[in-house]
Amino acid sequence: MIGIRELGPGDAEALLRIYSAKSTKYLGRAPMDAAEARSYVRDAAASAVQSPRTLYLLGLDVDGDLLGIVKLHRDRPVAAISYILRADAWGRGYATEGVRKIFALAFGRLGLPEVRAKHHQDNPASGRVLRKAGFVPTGEHAGFMTYAIRIPGGRADPRPAPLRSPCVTMLSSP
Ligand SMILES: CC(C)(COP(=O)(O)OP(=O)(O)OC[C@H]1O[C@@H](n2cnc3c(N)ncnc32)[C@H](O)[C@@H]1OP(=O)(O)O)[C@@H](O)C(=O)NCCC(=O)NCCS
């Protein structure tokens, strides 16, 4: 079963495997170390109790294994998503499924009208993920390809209902 869920303190080890040198190559950042992994899960917990919540930093969980991270950023005029998958899990459709699941949050529960995304121009696999999920290319900016998806009639609710408690799978499909 694939789902997205809140992160917990027990996820720090899995984050180290997700944010490897291979996976961070086009992200403009270094691989994660143990100290960063611990602070990452603390930041995720803090963002989960923000009100209004501006960051959804969620785990992509496949049969109980944390294989990736999907994020929804609401700290900007138009919301944006980003994602990263553990390298040994690439090529199985998980990133695309993770993007679709975050749509359910963005367009369903939060009622956002638009979400944007971008990827490094040398990272075409990420562009394929975005297109498969329904994003439309909007151009290029500073070496990144930009994308958007709009839902006619979306509502921007600044005070969405809280998620269930951390570590509970909140959106899943068989
Ligand atoms: C990009 C990334 C998220 C893709 O994850 P994934 O789970 O392998 O993605 P999916 O399996 O859902 O889809 C990958 C698609 O890209 C395609 N693809 C893979 N390599 C490709 C390449 N070099 N050029 C074009 N398409 C490519 C695959 O064939 C697949 O498309 P298909 O289903 O039509 O065959 C993953 O490689 C990753 O985490 N990379 C490091 C972090 C990153 O780049 N994040 C995105 C930042 S914007």
Side-chain angles (χ1 to χ4, degrees):
M1 190 168 79
I2 304 175
I4 54 176
R5 63 167 173 83
E6 302 286 6
L7 297 178
D11 291 320
E13 189 70 25
L15 286 172
L16 292 177
R17 298 185 63 203
I18 292 167
Y19 281 86
S20 64
K22 189 171 177 183
S23 292
T24 54
K25 181 173 177 189
Y26 298 114
L27 302 186
R29 54 149 298 150
M32 195 172 276
D33 62 20
E36 187 190 353
R38 287 192 296 273
S39 87
Y40 193 103
V41 291
R42 281 196 301 271
D43 291 349
S47 68
V49 295
Q50 265 186 332
S51 182
R53 187 169 181 178
T54 56
L55 175 64
Y56 291 81
L57 207 170
L58 304 171
L60 180 66
D61 187 300
V62 180
D63 295 330
D65 199 4
L66 190 77
L67 294 186
I69 296 293
V70 286
K71 297 184 201 174
L72 174 69
H73 307 260
R74 295 190 69 192
D75 55 344
R76 51 199 75 177
V78 178
I81 63 155
S82 58
Y83 43 83
I84 179 168
L85 260 283
R86 203 172 80 195
D88 65 357
W90 292 359
R92 295 186 228 163
Y94 293 148
T96 308
E97 193 56 30
V99 171
R100 289 182 179 135
K101 294 218 174 283
I102 209 137
F103 283 172
L105 170 66
F107 298 127
R109 204 167 62 80
L110 301 180
L112 300 179
E114 179 178 353
V115 172
R116 293 182 183 167
K118 65 181 182 179
H119 69 82
H120 193 277
Q121 61 190 6
D122 296 332
N123 189 10
S126 186
R128 179 76 188 123
V129 166
L130 293 173
R131 284 188 176 83
K132 280 197 295 180
F135 273 93
V136 176
T138 51
E140 187 182 345
H141 178 71
F144 286 83
M145 314 307 292
T146 58
Y147 295 77
I149 181 166
R150 296 183 183 92
I151 300 294
R155 69 185 157 81
D157 180 356
R159 288 187 301 170
L163 292 177
R164 285 183 283 159
S165 57
C167 301
V168 173
T169 301
M170 61 177 199
L171 297 163
S172 61
S173 65

